[in-house]
Amino acid sequence: MPIDDPTTATPSDIDVELARLDIENGKAESTLRGLRKRHRSLLEDGMTEYAAELEPRIEQARQTIAECETAARPLEAEFERRGGWTRAWLVLNTGGHVHRTPQCRTCFATTQFAWLTQLSGHDETEIVDLAGKAACTECYPSAPVEVRNRPSRIKTPEQLAREAEKAERAKAKAAKAITAPDGTPLRTTKYGQIDTEFTARRNYADALSYARHLARVNVAYHRDSIAEHHEDARLILAALAAKHGRTEDDLRAELAPKVESRWNREYSNWR
């Protein structure tokens, strides 16, 4: 995201934004090259009207490139003002090395890199320790032999982003989940295994409402089923109380209106 004041930003924050701008700039340049080529071809074929239709898109690509260059300028200036900071790049091929600079003599013009912006400004010893055997011996000649024998723990920003997204999804799923107080699956007699809090709350209201209906119909005949529905409600209430660190009485009072609503909506008119 854009940085308002580069002088207070961390090296990592600055390089993350520079990397984003570099990618956006590269896409715009690729688009511009393609559009210009198509534009020339149309003009050579005498299709001036079609060529003219491309000109707004060409101008937009030029503007994007200019905007990226303008946005990057103060960030690069801040890098220079601070006398630079450590940076690291990972070669994107199997067994690719981590380099201090993409200008390392062991790399080529066609070499593809992932800029490890999360390591920008970090101590070089830390970078080498994380890189392990992936540390380039040209870029980090002083890396201890024992470190170079360790597996690499380096991850690209894209991998870290995917892991963060996965963790967020897991967190969201956990927030919706429900288990028995001991952490085992919440299993009930009438509603089977309940996995989400939403379902637990709905089934709690249904269990008590339906038990009430059965009692009104014939309490003696439905005694066992009534007991099972009440037991399911008790198990659900205990699970909800454990999840939220609340008392069962507190939750029972909170859920009472939902139970009554369920009764009125589903069962009050049954005979």
Side-chain angles (χ1 to χ4, degrees), residues 57-103:
R57 294 170 59 191
I58 291 174
E59 181 56 34
Q60 180 59 55
R62 286 176 178 154
Q63 184 177 342
T64 298
I65 293 170
E67 289 173 352
C68 288
E69 291 174 348
T70 299
R73 204 166 292 125
L75 304 180
E76 294 287 10
E78 182 61 19
F79 177 79
E80 296 297 330
R81 187 186 73 81
R82 298 189 199 182
W85 50 68
T86 56
R87 286 170 165 170
W89 281 264
L90 174 65
V91 173
L92 292 177
N93 66 295
T94 303
H97 287 152
V98 174
H99 296 270
R100 183 202 308 267
T101 170
Q103 281 74 48

Side-chain angles (χ1 to χ4, degrees), residues 33-231:
R33 286 193 296 271
L35 289 171
R36 281 174 168 170
K37 181 178 180 181
R38 178 63 176 160
H39 188 265
R40 285 195 301 271
S41 178
L42 289 171
L43 289 177
E44 290 170 0
D45 292 339
M47 304 174 71
T48 56
E49 291 185 8
Y50 291 102
E53 291 178 359
L54 296 180
E55 291 172 4
R57 294 170 59 191
I58 291 174
E59 181 56 34
Q60 180 59 55
R62 286 176 178 154
Q63 184 177 342
T64 298
I65 293 170
E67 289 173 352
C68 288
E69 291 174 348
T70 299
R73 204 166 292 125
L75 304 180
E76 294 287 10
E78 182 61 19
F79 177 79
E80 296 297 330
R81 187 186 73 81
R82 298 189 199 182
W85 50 68
T86 56
R87 286 170 165 170
W89 281 264
L90 174 65
V91 173
L92 292 177
N93 66 295
T94 303
H97 287 152
V98 174
H99 296 270
R100 183 202 308 267
T101 170
Q103 281 74 48
C104 175
R105 72 180 186 85
T106 65
C107 299
F108 305 93
T110 56
T111 301
Q112 293 185 317
F113 298 92
W115 190 353
L116 303 175
T117 51
Q118 74 273 20
L119 298 179
S120 293
H122 285 227
D123 187 84
E124 192 169 282
T125 302
E126 178 187 355
I127 296 173
V128 171
D129 183 64
L130 289 170
K133 64 182 181 181
C136 170
T137 55
E138 288 287 332
C139 291
Y140 307 107
S142 62
V145 174
E146 63 271 18
V147 172
R148 289 189 180 139
N149 291 329
R150 297 175 191 163
S152 174
R153 291 177 285 138
I154 289 287
K155 294 180 180 179
T156 67
E158 290 75 15
Q159 288 173 322
L160 292 174
R162 286 196 295 269
E163 289 181 0
E165 290 173 2
K166 183 177 179 181
E168 283 299 314
R169 289 195 298 270
K171 183 178 179 181
K173 183 177 179 180
K176 297 178 181 179
I178 191 75
T179 66
D182 62 0
T184 59
L186 175 57
R187 294 189 174 92
T188 62
T189 300
K190 294 297 184 180
Y191 301 94
Q193 181 171 313
I194 301 174
D195 297 315
T196 68
E197 181 173 347
F198 175 82
T199 303
R201 288 174 176 267
R202 183 184 62 191
N203 289 346
Y204 173 84
D206 186 77
L208 293 182
S209 299
Y210 191 63
R212 180 178 173 182
H213 160 69
L214 293 177
R216 185 173 69 171
V217 172
N218 191 325
V219 67
Y221 182 79
H222 294 294
R223 189 179 306 277
D224 290 344
S225 184
I226 292 171
E228 288 172 344
H229 279 84
H230 277 290
E231 176 61 14

Side-chain angles (χ1 to χ4, degrees), residues 8-22:
T8 61
T10 68
S12 181
D13 287 340
I14 289 174
D15 283 356
V16 164
E17 179 62 6
L18 281 171
R20 186 190 70 78
L21 291 169
D22 186 57

Side-chain angles (χ1 to χ4, degrees), residues 238-249:
L240 290 169
K243 177 176 180 177
H244 294 287
R246 297 169 62 182
T247 67
E248 292 184 18
D249 287 342

